[in-house]
Amino acid sequence: MSFVEYGDTIKDGDTAIVFLGHESMFPVKVQHGTVTQTKYGVIRHSTDLIGKKYGSKVTCSKGGWVFILHPTPELWTMNLPHRTQILYSTDISIITMMLELKPGSIVCESGTGSGSLSHALIRTVAPTGHLYTVEFHQQRAEKAREEFREHGVEHLVTVTNQDVCKNGFGVSNIADAVFLDIPSPWEAIGHAKTALKAEGGRICSFSPCIEQVQRTCLAMEEYGFTEINTLEILLRVYNVRTISLQIPDLGKAAEDNSSTGFDSSNPSNQGSLCTNLQQGTVQFKSGVPLREMVGHTGYLTFATKS
């Protein structure tokens, strides 16, 4: 199993996603002889998972059923154990595009955190690219190494435990892009410039506060970065549902029928007319926004090394 290569069959040691229903899922490490408890009953790894195809419908001990999904960076973002605040797919998608990443790209990242963005970056630059990720916290760095190894992507990533503001990324003049998610990104702009390739490399800084953005932009200008711009991504979800509205009184039905070409002599039309008049409502599909939405997550500041 690898997060960057799809496998058909569930194997011992794999990380799989147990899908119980809409917005209800969790990761599980498949191990021979192990069982997993769900609200639908027990899943026995040896008989219910190992050897089955990903995407299979598995019946639990109480008669309920779940789907077993192959892990992807998107699913991992929704289910990973949180060691820090993470980036979600809304911000990750624009970061990947604006940094102009592709297979073979070299990327530097700080800090690693819970690895949400890291998995997406690895999948994007695979199979020939590489991610150099720096994490200040030793235990988080060790846990990230362990997860990358379990997820079959350790050959595509190098995890370093150090202070990027003092010691940099440990590489020079090779990175196509740099991403910063640290409290004081302006202190790492010089090291980011050193890590980037000679010309044309891209940098992105994620900051929740506008004061951080202001200081970061000043540091980027000081180090000669160009095309500096800051944006914010807001996601507004709509529910498509059927709603009913009363029919307005626009005059006599006969006048309406004659003006619209309605054939009242047709038996089927007469029945429809009677039904509408009796009910006094009409149904149609409508897109309705949620009452609550995910608002501000952070500001994304992009720039180019000239």
Side-chain angles (χ1 to χ4, degrees):
M1 186 277 303
S2 171
F3 273 51
V4 297
E5 296 177 1
Y6 184 79
D8 290 329
T9 306
I10 304 172
K11 299 180 177 63
D12 188 15
D14 282 4
T15 297
I17 305 297
V18 180
F19 180 88
L20 290 84
H22 182 60
E23 294 185 351
S24 179
M25 64 185 87
F26 61 89
V28 62
K29 184 173 182 180
V30 180
Q31 293 179 316
H32 185 77
T34 303
V35 298
T36 296
Q37 296 282 350
T38 74
K39 63 181 180 180
Y40 301 125
V42 172
I43 301 174
R44 295 174 175 83
H45 294 201
S46 300
T47 57
D48 297 334
L49 299 184
I50 297 176
K52 300 289 182 66
K53 287 181 177 279
Y54 279 107
S56 297
K57 182 179 178 180
V58 174
T59 302
C60 305
S61 61
K62 293 181 180 179
W65 47 266
V66 299
F67 287 105
I68 308 300
L69 307 180
H70 192 285
T72 64
E74 291 81 7
L75 288 175
W76 186 245
T77 292
M78 298 170 62
N79 294 280
L80 57 78
H82 285 234
R83 300 183 289 274
T84 60
Q85 291 290 333
I86 69 169
L87 291 177
Y88 290 93
S89 298
T90 306
D91 289 315
I92 291 174
S93 59
I94 196 70
I95 291 169
T96 303
M97 184 188 73
M98 294 294 286
L99 289 182
E100 302 174 2
L101 301 182
K102 60 186 181 298
S105 296
I106 306 298
V107 186
C108 292
E109 174 197 27
S110 182
T112 312
S114 300
S116 174
L117 177 64
S118 303
H119 283 81
L121 294 176
I122 291 170
R123 196 263 306 274
T124 302
V125 305
T128 56
H130 200 84
L131 171 66
Y132 294 90
T133 182
V134 179
E135 173 57 51
F136 176 79
H137 194 277
Q138 182 178 357
Q139 291 181 337
R140 288 201 292 262
E142 293 173 354
K143 185 61 178 178
R145 290 193 192 98
E146 179 184 342
E147 285 181 350
F148 293 143
R149 183 169 57 254
E150 292 178 353
H151 298 166
V153 297
E154 71 276 8
H155 61 292
L156 297 170
V157 57
T158 299
V159 182
T160 305
N161 172 220
Q162 64 186 28
D163 186 351
V164 69
C165 296
K166 294 181 179 180
N167 303 314
F169 294 93
V171 296
S172 301
N173 302 319
I174 65 169
D176 297 289
V178 169
F179 176 78
L180 299 174
D181 183 7
I182 55 178
S184 53
W186 55 89
E187 296 180 1
I189 298 300
H191 295 297
K193 183 176 181 180
T194 300
L196 287 168
K197 59 186 181 182
E199 185 178 356
R202 295 279 287 166
I203 183 174
C204 174
S205 174
F206 177 91
S207 297
C209 302
I210 196 64
E211 291 82 6
Q212 294 170 302
V213 173
Q214 292 170 335
R215 296 188 65 175
T216 301
C217 290
L218 291 175
M220 288 178 175
E221 290 180 345
E222 180 182 349
Y223 281 95
F225 283 89
T226 60
E227 300 178 347
I228 301 172
N229 65 87
T230 299
L231 51 87
E232 179 184 30
I233 309 299
L234 301 178
L235 178 64
R236 191 177 189 186
V237 179
Y238 280 75
N239 279 338
V240 178
R241 64 187 187 187
T242 302
I243 64 174
S244 298
L245 291 178
Q246 289 187 341
I247 299 175
D249 184 5
L250 301 178
K252 294 181 180 180
E255 295 176 358
D256 292 343
N257 295 341
S258 61
S259 63
T260 58
F262 186 91
D263 185 5
S264 59
S265 63
N266 189 322
S268 61
N269 287 343
Q270 288 178 348
S272 175
L273 175 61
C274 292
T275 301
N276 286 336
L277 290 176
Q278 290 173 0
Q279 295 177 348
T281 61
V282 62
Q283 293 185 335
F284 61 93
K285 296 291 184 182
S286 175
V288 181
L290 300 179
R291 293 186 177 182
E292 295 181 356
M293 63 175 283
V294 177
H296 173 76
T297 57
Y299 300 103
L300 293 169
T301 301
F302 296 91
T304 303
K305 181 179 179 180
S306 65

